[in-house]
Amino acid sequence: MPGTHYDNDHSFIEALPFEYKNRAYLIIRSDSLETMLINFNKAGGAVFSDLCDDDFDEHLTRRTISACLIAKISSFEPTLFINEHHYRFLMSTLLFHLQFLLNLPSKQYPTLDSLTPFLKVKHEHTYRWIINIKAKFEKKGIYFD
């Protein structure tokens, strides 16, 4: 995908069970952000098609796709955002999937700022990416939280 590089946060992927971790790396290499969002909503996708009904775990499938979404978003170069709509979309998508992966109630952690102390310690790359992108847009007077 244009504008991405391999300096992204794989810490959420590394926490997955082995069989889902391998699927996650396939998803990152083959799926676009749009495809990942669609697959999250339907809790499936091509890389999960070989699982039989007894082995299919919908929650783990969604966790895998969420981990991929965070890795994909955290790989985007901040200078590529064309406008504040892209910025707001990516930040709200990131917030939703962080809340999902961390099993956090959105009312208790409603903003990215409320998550940053935890991210700074446990998921440093995502933390730095958020801080950098927010600083870039705040210079323009555009705020997310």
Side-chain angles (χ1 to χ4, degrees):
M1 175 177 235
T4 64
H5 50 81
Y6 293 103
D7 183 24
N8 54 14
D9 193 348
H10 287 203
S11 59
F12 292 100
I13 293 172
E14 289 301 317
L16 295 168
F18 178 77
E19 62 275 4
Y20 285 85
K21 189 185 307 185
N22 286 343
R23 293 168 199 281
Y25 287 116
L26 288 171
I27 291 169
I28 287 177
R29 287 193 300 273
S30 63
D31 289 357
S32 67
L33 186 67
E34 178 185 20
T35 301
M36 288 182 206
L37 290 168
I38 291 167
N39 288 341
F40 178 83
N41 288 332
K42 66 180 185 179
V47 300
F48 302 104
S49 62
D50 65 325
L51 293 174
C52 61
D53 289 340
D54 293 340
D55 294 335
F56 184 78
D57 183 334
E58 182 176 325
H59 184 72
L60 196 48
T61 298
R62 287 182 193 269
R63 288 183 58 79
T64 302
I65 297 168
S66 284
C68 293
L69 281 160
I70 290 170
K72 181 74 84 173
I73 290 171
S74 70
S75 72
F76 292 152
E77 177 60 39
T79 58
L80 294 177
F81 298 117
I82 297 170
N83 59 42
E84 74 177 273
H85 300 292
H86 294 155
Y87 167 69
R88 290 184 190 283
F89 171 75
L90 288 175
M91 295 301 266
S92 61
T93 301
L94 187 68
L95 175 60
F96 174 84
H97 289 282
L98 285 168
Q99 289 167 334
F100 180 80
L101 278 174
L102 299 171
N103 292 320
L104 299 173
S106 59
K107 291 181 181 178
Q108 187 177 355
Y109 296 92
T111 65
L112 281 172
D113 284 343
S114 65
L115 292 173
T116 55
F118 174 77
L119 293 173
K120 185 176 183 179
V121 173
K122 296 287 187 179
H123 304 281
E124 186 180 349
H125 181 84
T126 297
Y127 167 78
R128 283 186 283 118
W129 188 89
I130 290 169
I131 297 301
N132 289 339
I133 193 71
K134 285 180 75 170
K136 178 183 181 293
F137 276 89
E138 286 174 359
K139 284 181 186 176
K140 298 176 182 180
I142 300 168
Y143 301 90
F144 178 71
D145 282 336

